[in-house]
Amino acid sequence: MVAWKNLDTLTSFEDLAKTERVNLIEAMTGENGAERVKKYSVPMAEGFVYNYAAKQVDDEVLTAMEKLAEEAQLAEKFEALYNGEVVNTGEKRLVLHQLTRGQLGNPVVADGVDKRKFYVEQQNRIAEFANKVHAGEIVNADGEKFTTVVQIGIGGSDLGPRAIYLALENWAKKNGTFKMEAKFISNVDPDDASVVLNSIDVAHSLFVLVSKSGTTLETLTNESFVKDALKNAGLDASKHMIAVTSETSPLAKSDDYLAAFFMDDYIGGRYSSSSAVGGAVLSLAFGPEVFAQFLEGAAEEDKLSAKKNLRENPEMLDAMIGVYERNVLGYPCTAVLPYSQALSRFPAHLQQLDMESNGKCVNRFGERVSYPTGPIIFGEPGTNGQHSFYQLLHQGTDIVPLQFVGFKNSQLKNDVVIQGSTSQQKLCANVAAQIVAFACGKSDENRNKNFEGARPSSIIIGDEVTPRTIGALLAHFENKIMFQGFLWNINSFDQEGVQLGKVLAKRVLAHETDGALKEFSDLLNI
């Protein structure tokens, strides 16, 4: 039977904390470093490799981690999750986003429905709709094809799908699968919607409204903004809009939409990119076959996450190293650094995925924990980041663990040789150099030029950004975050922290304020 215990009550965690600290500079210098790079590496799906040579671990630490993973029952807890146990204790719900891309265990029946069949049915409905749009069977009022799709949503309804779209846009254009340009409206700031609407031909645009409850303030406000623009253009909004929502929401059977596709309460917003939330916009943009490839990549990585052996499970291993850094070494942040312009918005998605999931101070039973939980996540693509915040990473007073992502090949294969190397080679050279520079540092009598080193990093290396590799990469981080939540004994699948601000904002708009809230409202002319 699975037992849910706080991290600091586990004997193996005490043993891990007592292991001898690895001298990273010594470990990564010369032949020592070369041997570590060969040794501390584990295969991932879709040709990826997770390399943790530049992390502060050795065989002693890894052995202690294996014992902790076993005592914490990480594999058993994941098995319980994908077999349909109520793992989201805060909302008393199942957690089923893995079922949108494959079935790892037993059939999961909820509300009298086989959930895998339900998710596949929605994917098939979306595929049929997208194919009809692309074939010109579903058209605008003038009988003309839609050329643009616009997603209206916020949080998980925006960040994940937007990051994936941007990652695959140029790939799709190169490979002949680019069907429709996609735009995204998320912020309730009217300038966000205005800029998007001013950049498109609304007469040839199809809008995807994403709201599980059908009551999200920002999303419904932006929907009204869009409907107003369509009305002003003399267009029938109901012929230009589809909804992604729950079957019980007011949007589900509304005549305001050409079609409605369904999600459910068992998939949190930040985990919803592989559901209808990502499926609708990505299938319309690139074709349902491309979205299917994305799901296949995620499913293959999920299979690795189910492995019981820590050293063969890249997600569990990555999670364990992160907890070691947070709770033993005392590092408060993690930087996600993709060396690929295609992943320009991926760190923003991971920021929400991680910090909304594990930004908790109470355990699964509502009791305050006495140890740090989720780290602060930030990042930007390399090499741009090298010319901004890497200064602090190299020589600042805090040590920030780094998570690099790199690819051997560019998406477009359009490159040029300058000074004896291509741009892609220069990009890869930079990420290799940064790993070693952070780990080993450089001694200099001029203290301003001295690099202390011992800054830990890992890297995920792939061949190229494709639908399958993006799916695998997404699943890696989703499952890493899940395992860390298991270790901390917190609920990674609710987000009560986003609610209080919403409640107070409604009070402000209803002019039901006093004290500081009233004064700030007056200052902002509300």
Side-chain angles (χ1 to χ4, degrees):
M1 179 179 289
V2 170
W4 300 92
K5 298 180 180 180
N6 283 6
L7 178 66
D8 58 0
T9 67
L10 303 178
T11 302
S12 51
F13 174 68
E14 293 181 14
D15 294 339
L16 175 62
K18 293 175 183 175
T19 55
E20 187 175 348
R21 302 295 180 264
V22 172
N23 184 326
L24 191 58
I25 298 173
E26 182 180 303
M28 284 297 291
T29 298
E31 283 305 307
N32 290 340
E35 288 303 313
R36 284 179 66 89
V37 173
K38 295 173 187 175
K39 180 179 180 180
Y40 292 129
S41 183
V42 59
M44 295 171 58
E46 304 304 330
F48 278 119
V49 170
Y50 171 64
N51 190 291
Y52 56 102
K55 288 292 191 179
Q56 289 167 284
V57 301
D58 58 12
D59 288 349
E60 180 192 1
V61 174
L62 286 169
T63 299
M65 287 178 174
E66 287 176 315
K67 293 177 181 177
L68 177 55
E70 184 177 349
E71 186 181 359
Q73 298 178 290
L74 296 187
E76 291 82 357
K77 287 171 182 175
F78 185 32
E79 188 174 359
L81 181 150
Y82 63 67
N83 280 326
E85 291 191 23
V86 177
V87 174
N88 179 351
T89 51
E91 297 169 315
K92 296 180 173 58
R93 292 172 180 167
L94 290 68
V95 177
L96 301 180
H97 54 275
Q98 281 94 356
L99 268 183
T100 62
R101 54 240 195 181
Q103 187 160 314
L104 291 170
N106 303 326
V108 176
V109 176
D111 307 321
V113 175
D114 183 310
K115 298 309 294 185
R116 173 62 182 159
K117 291 180 180 178
F118 170 76
Y119 298 138
V120 171
E121 178 188 8
Q122 296 309 308
Q123 290 163 10
N124 290 338
R125 291 183 61 233
I126 289 169
E128 182 182 7
F129 181 86
N131 285 332
K132 287 182 177 179
V133 171
H134 299 152
E137 296 176 35
I138 296 176
V139 293
N140 70 3
D142 293 327
E144 297 168 335
K145 291 177 72 171
F146 292 107
T147 58
T148 303
V149 54
V150 181
Q151 180 114 317
I152 308 170
I154 197 165
S157 301
D158 169 76
L159 288 165
R162 188 195 295 249
I164 296 162
Y165 172 78
L166 292 174
L168 298 178
E169 181 181 12
N170 289 323
W171 179 91
K173 289 176 179 176
K174 182 179 185 297
N175 288 275
T177 65
F178 189 79
K179 307 293 185 181
M180 302 170 70
E181 183 180 24
K183 300 280 190 175
F184 296 84
I185 298 173
S186 60
N187 199 335
V188 75
D189 181 344
D191 288 344
D192 187 19
S194 296
V195 168
V196 172
L197 291 169
N198 288 338
S199 71
I200 62 174
D201 176 5
V202 292
H204 296 89
S205 296
L206 188 61
F207 296 86
V208 183
L209 182 76
V210 183
S211 175
K212 185 188 301 182
S213 65
T215 61
T216 310
L217 177 64
E218 295 96 333
T219 301
L220 296 184
T221 299
N222 280 326
E223 179 193 28
S224 297
F225 207 105
V226 167
K227 284 183 173 179
D228 190 57
L230 289 165
K231 180 181 177 181
N232 291 339
L235 301 168
D236 181 353
S238 67
K239 304 299 183 185
H240 287 259
M241 302 194 80
I242 64 174
V244 176
T245 189
S246 68
E247 290 181 291
T248 57
S249 93
L251 312 179
K253 295 180 175 61
S254 171
D255 292 334
D256 288 344
Y257 308 99
L258 281 166
F261 305 105
F262 301 124
M263 51 177 162
D264 58 34
D265 287 334
Y266 308 121
I267 299 176
R270 59 196 174 279
Y271 295 98
S272 67
S273 294
S274 54
S275 75
V277 173
V281 65
L282 296 172
S283 294
L284 286 164
F286 306 135
E289 297 83 4
V290 170
F291 184 66
Q293 292 170 31
F294 163 77
L295 295 179
E296 289 164 5
E300 289 304 307
E301 197 64 47
D302 285 339
K303 291 176 184 176
L304 293 180
S305 297
K307 284 180 173 285
K308 289 181 168 54
N309 186 333
L310 175 75
R311 301 196 198 201
E312 295 177 355
N313 185 325
E315 290 70 53
M316 191 186 292
L317 181 57
D318 195 1
M320 186 67 74
I321 292 172
V323 169
Y324 177 67
E325 290 174 333
R326 187 79 173 102
N327 297 96
V328 177
L329 302 180
Y331 303 145
C333 304
T334 297
V336 180
L337 309 168
Y339 274 62
S340 168
Q341 190 59 31
L343 299 185
S344 61
R345 290 296 290 168
F346 205 67
H349 171 56
L350 295 184
Q351 189 176 59
Q352 185 208 12
L353 183 63
D354 201 316
M355 294 173 72
E356 194 167 84
S357 294
N358 290 340
K360 311 286 173 63
C361 62
V362 299
N363 68 11
R364 295 164 52 80
F365 311 111
E367 303 160 343
R368 180 89 184 196
V369 296
S370 58
Y371 45 81
T373 57
I376 296 167
I377 303 293
F378 68 96
E380 283 289 331
T383 56
N384 298 47
Q386 293 177 198
H387 296 269
S388 58
F389 55 82
Y390 277 38
Q391 169 61 46
L392 184 148
L393 301 183
H394 275 292
Q395 293 182 302
T397 53
D398 284 311
I399 291 180
V400 178
L402 315 167
Q403 192 135 37
F404 292 101
V405 180
F407 296 89
K408 300 172 188 175
N409 302 300
S410 63
Q411 278 189 319
L412 300 183
K413 307 294 190 296
N414 179 29
D415 210 337
V416 62
V417 175
I418 298 175
Q419 297 178 345
S421 60
T422 66
S423 297
Q424 184 66 23
Q425 288 172 328
K426 290 179 175 67
L427 180 70
C428 292
N430 269 277
V431 70
Q434 290 294 330
I435 293 170
V436 174
F438 278 117
C440 298
K442 181 180 74 74
S443 297
D444 198 299
E445 291 182 2
N446 181 340
R447 299 296 296 275
N448 196 49
K449 295 182 178 181
N450 186 68
F451 291 77
E452 293 180 354
R455 315 270 166 149
S457 68
S458 64
I459 183 168
I460 295 172
I461 302 172
D463 291 322
E464 182 183 336
V465 179
T466 69
R468 294 182 70 99
T469 59
I470 286 296
L473 195 63
L474 181 80
H476 172 83
F477 284 104
E478 287 182 348
N479 295 335
K480 170 194 172 181
I481 290 161
M482 169 195 70
F483 283 127
Q484 289 186 327
F486 290 164
L487 282 161
W488 287 316
N489 196 29
I490 58 177
N491 179 13
S492 301
F493 305 106
D494 65 2
Q495 55 284 329
E496 292 300 327
V498 305
Q499 301 303 323
L500 179 58
K502 291 182 179 181
V503 171
L504 293 181
K506 288 181 180 179
R507 280 178 50 189
V508 170
L509 293 172
H511 301 290
E512 298 171 355
T513 58
D514 56 19
L517 195 60
K518 182 180 186 306
E519 292 304 315
F520 278 121
S521 300
D522 292 342
L523 285 172
L524 289 163
N525 293 325
I526 301 169

